Amino acid sequence: MKLSSIHKRAARRDRNKTGLDMNLVSLIDVFTILIFFLLFNVGPAEMLPNGGSVKLPESSAEQDARETVVVIVSKDDIVVDGRRVASVREVMATPGDVIEGLQQELTLQSQRKAIRVENQAQAQTVTIMGDKDIPYQLLRKVMVTCAKANYADVAFALNRKAAS
């Protein structure tokens, strides 16, 4: 029995078919997890990290926070972006205005960032989250150290007063 060209093509197509089935339920699960991951990890830049150990002073400022390097000064420690760099007790006992550990960490932070030309001014900005009860001498040392590490633009984190 001789097959026509149409029958030969149909036979070839049937012979070359593979049993490839996709399980869409697994694919949907992966995308759902991906969406939840993105929703939880993409947040506004106004949220600054605070472990609760720092009581911020209040202000009526209307300007929103920018994403910068954050220096947290609590009653016990000085922390830069989650990394402890100095003890407040040691800093207060040390003469001079420069805090060595803080200066080294700020220099390291400034070298890590990939900077576009239009964002270069913002790259050398630091936000200080200082407890409202820290002494001025400690705050002065932190600010001088930031200036020595070429962070010329210093901002202070404050709690916004409730509108009355």
Side-chain angles (χ1 to χ4, degrees):
M1 175 158 114
K2 191 169 183 181
L3 296 175
S4 69
S5 62
I6 294 175
H7 286 92
K8 285 181 185 178
R9 250 189 249 148
R12 202 177 313 123
R13 187 182 64 221
D14 289 342
R15 185 178 60 227
N16 292 336
K17 252 189 187 175
T18 58
L20 179 65
D21 291 330
M22 283 183 42
N23 189 353
L24 290 180
V25 174
S26 298
L27 190 62
I28 291 171
D29 289 343
V30 169
F31 280 120
T32 304
I33 291 170
L34 182 64
I35 288 172
F36 278 113
F37 175 78
L38 291 174
L39 286 175
F40 283 114
N41 289 321
V42 176
E46 298 95 33
M47 300 299 293
L48 294 173
N50 188 357
S53 63
V54 177
K55 294 178 187 172
L56 296 175
E58 291 190 349
S59 171
S60 58
E62 295 296 323
Q63 192 174 20
D64 288 335
R66 295 180 292 171
E67 193 168 338
T68 63
V69 175
V70 178
V71 177
I72 299 175
V73 183
S74 68
K75 294 177 183 176
D76 301 318
D77 296 317
I78 299 174
V79 179
V80 177
D81 282 345
R83 187 171 169 199
R84 184 181 178 273
V85 294
S87 164
V88 170
R89 181 176 292 156
E90 293 170 1
V91 169
M92 293 302 288
T94 305
D97 287 334
V98 177
I99 305 167
E100 290 298 323
L102 178 59
Q103 185 177 13
Q104 291 171 358
E105 184 64 26
L106 288 174
T107 303
L108 181 70
Q109 290 286 337
S110 68
Q111 292 171 352
R112 279 190 196 163
K113 290 191 175 188
I115 304 168
R116 291 185 5 205
V117 175
E118 59 269 12
N119 294 335
Q120 193 151 7
Q122 185 178 346
Q124 295 301 94
T125 303
V126 65
T127 301
I128 298 174
M129 290 182 69
D131 192 277
K132 66 180 182 177
D133 296 326
I134 63 171
Y136 173 74
Q137 183 181 6
L138 176 61
L139 184 60
R140 182 178 184 280
K141 286 184 176 193
V142 171
M143 289 174 21
V144 167
T145 305
C146 290
K148 293 279 185 183
N150 294 324
Y151 283 86
D153 190 6
V154 178
F156 293 98
L158 304 165
N159 281 330
R160 192 174 283 169
K161 284 183 183 178
S164 46

